[in-house]
Amino acid sequence: MARVYQVPHHAFGWLVAGTFMAALPHLIHGPLWLRILLPATVLGRILIQRGRLPMPGRVLRVILLGGVLLGTLYTHGTVLGPDAGTCLLVAAFALKLLEMVRLRDAYVLLVLGYFVLATTFLFYQGPIASLYVLLSMLCLTAALPGINHPEAGARAWRHFRLALVMLLQAVPLMLLLFVLVPRISPLWSLEFSQERSRTGMSDSMAPGEVSHLSQSRELAFRVEFEGAVPPPAARYWRGLTYAWFDGRRWSQARPQEISQADYVWFPASPQPRPDWAATLVAARDEAAARGPVYRYRVVQEPSRRNWLYALAVPFADDTRLGLVRDLRLVSREELNQRRDYRVTSYPALRSSMPMSPADEAISLQLPEGFNPRAREMARRWYREAGSAEAYANRLLRWFREESFYYTLEPPLLGEHTVDEFLFGSRRGFCEHYASAFAFMMRAAGVPARIVAGYQGGELNPVGNHLRVHQYHAHAWTEIWLPGSGWVEVDPTAAVAPSRIEMGPEAALQDDPLADFQGIMRDLPWLQQLSNRFDYVQFIWQKWVLDYDESSQLSLLQRWLGDVSPARIGMALAAGAAVLLMPVALWVLLRRRGPGRTPMQREYRAMLKQLRGRGLVLSDDLPPRRLVREAGGQWPAARPVLKKWGRAFEESVYGGQAGTSLRALRRYRRQLRWLRGARGGQHVSPG
């Protein structure tokens, strides 16, 4: 039977701390059995280290490994893929700590720990997560010199200091490699299982769903503008367009007469540009002369959806993103991680969008047999108004002047949702007003659709960028007017104008959201701290997570001109030489004496302290003679010196180095308070 490896006590704490910290982030989203397994294995290893438990036998180890495999299969349905593979790796990492019986097992445990730390970035990529990974790496690295120096007198904090020095030495080289080494897809871009929850807007909308989303304080995206930030009334971030209504729910829809290639235009696609896209591209300069142009950068949080958010009408710099016929941006793949994209928006370009018969048909569609009162009133009011624009203004004036209320908790609606809302409850959130307005316009023969996304955004004064949260979720309408194209109409603004100008917290004074915002206003330091932390996260996203192939190519072209493998290799070699040459010179030129044991360092510290008090002592005195000669020159210190001498001999010859070192340092501290050897003056400590 192999001899059980006993981790030195001064390294065991770092090993256990590093193991637990490396696996801890995975417990937050991991299955319940993994949350139980890790603390149990750590506790078991501590008891084994103290002799309270025996090492697990082969049968128990096989049972635990089988349980891990079955648990992974039960939780994920497979042992392959990022989710299941990470879960299996963390579980094996915990079991390796429990079964460590040889020095080689300790090395394997440390290497596994570094891999587990790397998988942390599959789930967390912020600056706090990076600092946490570095701290965990320090703990694991501090255990490495400890298990290679088993002497009892070693100090745990000395291992941590050595690990910190190693990390600081590696940071410049790490930055050089980060900047110059060709970029590949990051670890966190791996595809996860479809079971992971989706966030944000849905591809359909029914009364009550947006209001539920608006109670969440989760971040949706950040926006940084080049130039002035648009006013709140212009911050309509469109993400989806609902064109089909079944009597209760609005959904996205594409006219059957229009092909997918004609419905979505990807500039990078080899297929010819659709006619409507060609019309918009040709009219951009004219639209820029007629209205504002916004250029900005969006950093969107993971949503596991493929639609993006932008102001109308958006043109993305990334040609891999597509512009849809209903004037919104989409990506070919779902957003499983943060996505950074630059956009130029031309709001005045909406008037240039042509209306095809297929578009008009789907924009007038209504199900039969629903909401008869609203239908009859819409036809009558349109006849009285005489035009679509006058009719829309009358409907908005009705919302504004009658007793309609804006609330997050409207009553439930039955089969005829629009009738019950307009002539009954008159209490609702933005989706109630958008749905009712679009229905009334279609019932009068005016093409209309609902646009869903976010409205507003909080300005962060530290970074001068907008933060758009889930509680900024909003729905509004667009109507088609001859000569003006798609015109944006927000019926919610007629009922609660403060919602548009000041944000949802101003319009919902009695809701929990308003209470939270009130707390932030009453504590300015908390608001300032939140702004600074948000700015750090935004900078981290811009300069670290979004440093991809295109960013690297642009940077290297500014530095090196023509980018080629030879030039990149020369830059790497030159940078490494500049960074490593000072270290090499310091290693070669510095004076290195023989390595000293902890007891030798303690002896030199005492000798230096006594000489600092004016005592004349030789370098080659044995400890007992050192005590005798020092006591003769400094009588007041003789009792303390004798205690120090006895403790020193016990630690060298009695095998009590760990305990005696603490006593030796305590005696040296006592000498600082004694009267000096010369003149009898009092000497203050330190």
Side-chain angles (χ1 to χ4, degrees):
M1 180 178 176
R3 180 178 179 272
V4 174
Y5 170 66
Q6 186 75 4
V7 181
H9 72 279
H10 50 77
F12 181 72
W14 294 123
L15 188 64
V16 171
T19 302
F20 187 79
M21 291 179 64
L24 183 60
H26 299 281
L27 303 189
I28 299 176
H29 58 80
L32 177 61
W33 62 266
L34 186 61
R35 300 176 191 176
I36 298 174
L37 178 67
L38 179 65
T41 53
V42 170
L43 179 60
R45 187 66 209 190
I46 293 175
L47 295 177
I48 292 173
Q49 181 77 7
R50 296 185 175 183
R52 305 290 181 84
L53 284 180
M55 288 295 298
R58 179 174 299 178
V59 175
L60 180 58
R61 295 201 302 268
V62 170
I63 292 175
L64 289 174
L65 181 60
V68 165
L69 290 173
L70 291 176
T72 305
L73 286 171
Y74 174 78
T75 305
H76 302 283
T78 180
V79 294
L80 304 176
D83 281 316
T86 301
C87 180
L88 195 60
L89 176 64
V90 174
F93 177 53
L95 293 181
K96 192 64 182 177
L97 174 68
L98 191 64
E99 69 152 8
M100 185 173 54
V101 295
R102 291 183 294 272
L103 179 60
R104 186 191 67 173
D105 295 332
Y107 292 142
V108 172
L109 180 70
L110 291 174
V111 173
L112 278 176
Y114 293 132
F115 276 101
V116 171
L117 283 176
T119 61
T120 302
F121 293 115
L122 286 169
F123 309 96
Y124 313 98
Q125 296 96 42
I128 299 299
S130 300
L131 291 175
Y132 180 84
V133 167
L134 286 178
L135 182 59
S136 304
M137 187 184 300
L138 277 176
C139 293
L140 288 174
T141 307
L144 187 58
I147 63 178
N148 286 283
H149 294 82
E151 65 268 14
R155 299 173 60 186
W157 282 107
R158 189 176 297 275
H159 304 326
F160 185 82
R161 187 172 63 183
L162 177 59
L164 182 60
V165 170
M166 294 168 61
L167 178 64
L168 293 177
Q169 290 174 343
V171 165
L173 188 60
M174 176 191 69
L175 295 177
L176 178 69
L177 296 176
F178 176 80
V179 172
L180 294 180
V181 170
R183 309 300 296 168
I184 59 175
S185 296
L187 180 67
W188 52 83
S189 65
L190 296 175
E191 187 69 27
F192 288 90
S193 67
Q194 298 299 320
E195 298 175 0
R196 194 171 296 273
S197 61
R198 298 170 182 262
T199 60
M201 306 295 298
S202 175
D203 56 0
S204 63
M205 183 194 76
E209 293 183 351
V210 178
S211 58
H212 176 73
L213 180 64
S214 295
Q215 299 180 56
S216 170
R217 294 194 294 269
E218 292 184 8
L219 184 69
F221 54 90
R222 297 183 179 90
V223 189
E224 183 182 40
F225 283 88
E226 296 180 8
V229 178
R235 301 174 193 168
Y236 282 87
W237 308 98
R238 58 193 301 132
L240 303 102
T241 302
Y242 302 133
W244 186 264
F245 185 54
D246 64 1
R248 180 174 181 82
R249 179 173 295 274
W250 291 84
S251 307
Q252 295 189 101
R254 170 172 58 88
Q256 295 181 353
E257 297 84 352
I258 299 176
S259 65
Q260 182 67 21
D262 189 46
Y263 188 67
V264 184
W265 169 50
F266 287 93
S269 174
Q271 297 180 351
R273 182 185 297 169
D275 294 340
W276 62 267
T279 301
L280 293 179
V281 171
R284 279 191 296 187
D285 293 340
E286 180 187 352
R290 288 189 288 113
V293 177
Y294 301 116
R295 179 156 180 81
Y296 49 95
R297 177 180 190 166
V298 181
V299 179
Q300 186 169 329
E301 295 296 304
S303 63
R304 295 196 59 79
R305 309 285 188 174
N306 71 328
W307 47 80
L308 309 174
Y309 296 98
L311 304 175
V313 172
F315 287 86
D317 288 3
D318 189 346
T319 57
R320 296 170 298 179
L321 302 182
L323 179 62
V324 188
R325 193 183 180 99
D326 54 18
L327 308 180
R328 57 191 176 90
L329 285 178
V330 295
S331 173
R332 291 187 184 274
E333 61 279 342
E334 293 182 344
L335 272 67
N336 297 316
Q337 66 272 349
R338 288 187 183 93
R339 182 68 180 267
D340 181 299
Y341 50 98
R342 295 180 181 272
V343 183
T344 304
S345 291
Y346 303 84
L349 199 57
R350 280 177 297 197
S351 62
S352 302
M353 183 66 191
M355 170 70 83
S356 69
D359 291 328
E360 184 176 11
I362 200 170
S363 299
L364 290 173
Q365 171 270 333
L366 284 178
E368 295 295 333
F370 288 93
N371 308 299
R373 293 184 63 186
R375 287 175 186 268
E376 190 278 330
M377 188 178 76
R379 298 189 185 103
R380 176 165 47 85
W381 279 16
Y382 184 81
R383 288 194 302 269
E384 295 173 357
S387 68
E389 186 174 0
Y391 168 62
N393 289 331
R394 178 176 180 178
L395 192 56
L396 292 175
R397 189 167 58 253
W398 185 53
F399 282 150
R400 187 182 305 115
E401 296 175 353
E402 294 294 325
S403 55
F404 286 92
Y405 299 95
Y406 181 76
T407 177
L408 276 175
E409 299 179 353
L412 295 177
L413 302 176
E415 179 182 4
H416 302 284
T417 56
V418 177
D419 279 357
E420 293 181 24
F421 170 68
L422 292 178
F423 308 108
S425 68
R426 294 191 173 187
R427 304 177 67 88
F429 199 59
C430 59
E431 67 266 35
H432 295 80
Y433 291 99
S435 176
F437 187 85
F439 183 92
M440 293 289 288
M441 297 305 294
R442 288 188 175 190
V446 180
R449 62 192 184 189
I450 294 179
V451 183
Y454 298 88
Q455 196 282 325
E458 299 172 2
L459 181 64
N460 186 336
V462 178
N464 199 35
H465 64 273
L466 291 175
R467 292 176 295 188
V468 181
H469 296 83
Q470 297 296 348
Y471 57 72
H472 290 106
H474 194 55
W476 61 98
T477 58
E478 286 183 334
I479 61 174
W480 176 268
L481 298 179
S484 301
W486 285 108
V487 177
E488 188 176 89
V489 181
D490 189 355
T492 304
V495 180
S498 59
R499 163 63 180 88
I500 309 304
E501 295 295 333
M502 303 175 61
E505 62 275 12
L508 299 169
Q509 297 296 331
D510 298 329
D511 286 286
L513 175 61
D515 296 338
F516 172 76
Q517 297 293 338
I519 293 174
M520 297 293 284
R521 286 192 299 268
D522 294 339
L523 299 174
W525 64 269
L526 185 60
Q527 182 66 54
Q528 187 177 16
L529 182 63
S530 174
N531 290 337
R532 292 188 181 278
F533 181 67
D534 178 75
Y535 178 66
V536 170
Q537 289 182 305
F538 184 64
I539 293 298
W540 181 265
Q541 177 70 33
K542 282 184 14 178
W543 297 109
V544 179
L545 299 183
D546 292 334
Y547 186 67
D548 54 11
E549 297 92 339
S550 60
S551 301
Q552 185 184 49
L553 180 62
S554 176
L555 179 64
L556 295 182
Q557 285 176 342
R558 291 199 301 268
W559 287 2
L560 306 177
D562 293 334
V563 179
S564 64
R567 290 199 174 192
I568 294 178
M570 292 175 60
L572 272 172
V578 170
L579 294 175
L580 298 179
M581 188 62 69
V583 178
L585 291 176
W586 178 74
V587 171
L588 292 175
L589 298 179
R590 74 176 181 138
R591 289 187 174 183
R592 296 196 55 154
R596 295 191 178 102
T597 65
M599 298 309 301
Q600 289 174 330
R601 289 194 293 269
E602 173 61 27
Y603 177 85
R604 302 302 299 179
M606 172 59 86
L607 186 62
K608 181 179 179 181
Q609 183 172 334
L610 293 175
R611 286 175 174 174
R613 305 299 289 270
L615 277 63
V616 180
L617 300 169
S618 175
D619 287 337
D620 55 358
L621 293 175
R624 186 171 295 184
R625 187 174 173 186
L626 173 67
V627 170
R628 187 167 58 251
E629 292 194 10
Q633 298 181 48
W634 190 4
R638 192 175 297 157
V640 179
L641 287 170
K642 287 182 178 180
K643 294 178 182 179
W644 181 89
R646 284 195 300 270
F648 191 91
E649 291 180 351
E650 289 176 358
S651 38
V652 174
Y653 304 110
Q656 303 177 9
T659 304
S660 298
L661 270 175
R662 290 190 290 271
L664 291 169
R665 298 189 187 103
R666 186 172 66 251
Y667 296 143
R668 277 199 292 113
R669 287 195 297 269
Q670 292 177 8
L671 291 177
R672 299 176 185 175
W673 292 91
L674 295 178
R675 292 184 178 276
R678 295 182 181 177
Q681 75 275 16
H682 179 76
V683 182
S684 60

